[in-house]
Amino acid sequence: MKIEGSTFVVTGGGSGLGEATVQLFHRLGANVVIADVAEEKGTALATRLGSRAAFVRCDITDESEVSAALRKAAAFGPLRGVIGCAGIAVGEKVLGKDGPHRLGSFARCIGINLIGTFNMIRLAAAAMAETPPTEDGERGVIVSTASVAAYEGQIGQAAYAASKAGVVGMTLPIARELARSGIRLNAIAPGLFHTPMMDTLPPEVRDALGKATPFPQRLGRPAEFAALAAHIVENVMLNGETIRLDGAVRLAAR
């Protein structure tokens, strides 16, 4: 799939991994719809980018808002790709000082990270299936965001790890199903990346986390996530895969 001249939706596109993806794809000549619940950040980014960029408020768990984002993309041209970066992190022990893990926070994490991701995939696939194929017979490509926590979830990450393991688990079966429509699905499992969530931690904690990565000994950069997303889009042979982007880190228990 060619990025230049194609239309993409990036969920969670107002900050972090999503913002870096929006900026790269726009620079490569794509039309980009920034789909995010953070209206101020998303609008400001779209304004800075100018032409070929638009913002739409989008909660990925809401069918009507996802549909609205896809319609916004259609105004640029046929939808060719979705990069899903929207998600939340929940840190809570199953048996904590204040009692058992709150069921509501577990459900919310699963609802956004897993069900929301599936919601976007199913609706984007339906839109892509109606578009004309490229010369390779390809209609679209979807990239989800998983996490290394799907494989090595730490203490206090039960909800987050479960949600991301679900993203990994559904990638291959959905890719196999969508293959007949010329739609590819892959996922990226980032390791320790410098996102806005990391900025809430003291500098010494961020440095320690970066040094936990064998090489390079630093936190990952959102631009590196965006570069992999772009490669996945352009490499038609990548399908049904979850790719770790982690500098060889393997998370300890805590």
Side-chain angles (χ1 to χ4, degrees):
M1 180 68 63
K2 293 180 180 178
I3 292 177
E4 185 178 8
S6 296
T7 299
F8 295 84
V9 172
V10 181
T11 69
S15 64
L17 304 178
E19 180 182 8
T21 302
V22 167
Q23 291 174 332
L24 175 61
F25 278 53
H26 188 268
R27 190 163 66 247
L28 294 175
N31 307 308
V32 187
V33 172
I34 304 158
D36 205 318
V37 294
E39 296 186 49
E40 186 174 341
K41 289 182 178 179
T43 301
L45 178 58
T47 300
R48 287 200 307 273
L49 294 177
S51 63
R52 295 185 288 103
F55 169 76
V56 60
R57 190 198 183 280
C58 179
D59 175 346
I60 60 172
T61 67
D62 188 305
E63 182 171 359
S64 63
E65 292 192 6
V66 171
S67 296
L70 298 176
R71 287 195 299 272
K72 189 80 169 181
F76 283 119
L79 178 67
R80 290 304 189 190
V82 170
I83 315 298
C85 299
I88 62 170
V90 170
E92 197 172 336
K93 291 183 178 180
V94 176
L95 293 176
K97 292 182 296 183
D98 300 323
H101 198 301
R102 292 170 297 158
L103 189 58
S105 61
F106 187 93
R108 180 169 180 263
C109 190
I110 297 294
I112 294 173
N113 293 357
L114 179 56
I115 298 175
T117 296
F118 178 75
N119 189 39
M120 176 58 82
I121 289 172
R122 72 186 185 94
L123 295 175
M128 291 173 180
E130 300 300 319
T131 63
T134 65
E135 293 178 359
D136 287 330
E138 190 175 18
R139 286 189 167 85
V141 56
I142 304 169
V143 181
S144 304
T145 300
S147 168
V148 295
Y151 307 100
E152 303 113 36
Q154 297 180 297
I155 291 172
Q157 284 188 331
Y160 184 72
S163 69
K164 294 302 186 177
V167 172
V168 174
M170 69 182 177
T171 296
L172 180 58
I174 296 176
R176 286 171 163 170
E177 178 184 345
L178 298 182
R180 67 173 181 265
S181 299
I183 300 169
R184 293 186 290 121
L185 173 65
N186 293 280
I188 299 173
L192 301 170
F193 269 67
H194 193 167
T195 62
M197 183 176 65
M198 284 288 184
D199 286 331
T200 65
L201 302 175
E204 61 272 18
V205 175
R206 292 201 302 269
D207 290 344
L209 288 171
K211 289 176 182 176
T213 301
F215 186 83
Q217 283 197 324
R218 58 168 173 77
L219 295 173
R221 296 166 181 155
E224 292 164 337
F225 175 95
L228 180 54
H231 179 73
I232 291 172
V233 167
E234 293 178 328
N235 191 332
V236 71
M237 201 62 182
L238 274 173
N239 196 15
E241 292 294 331
T242 298
I243 303 171
R244 292 183 67 128
L245 185 65
D246 61 18
V249 74
R250 297 296 181 267
L251 301 182
R254 64 177 76 232

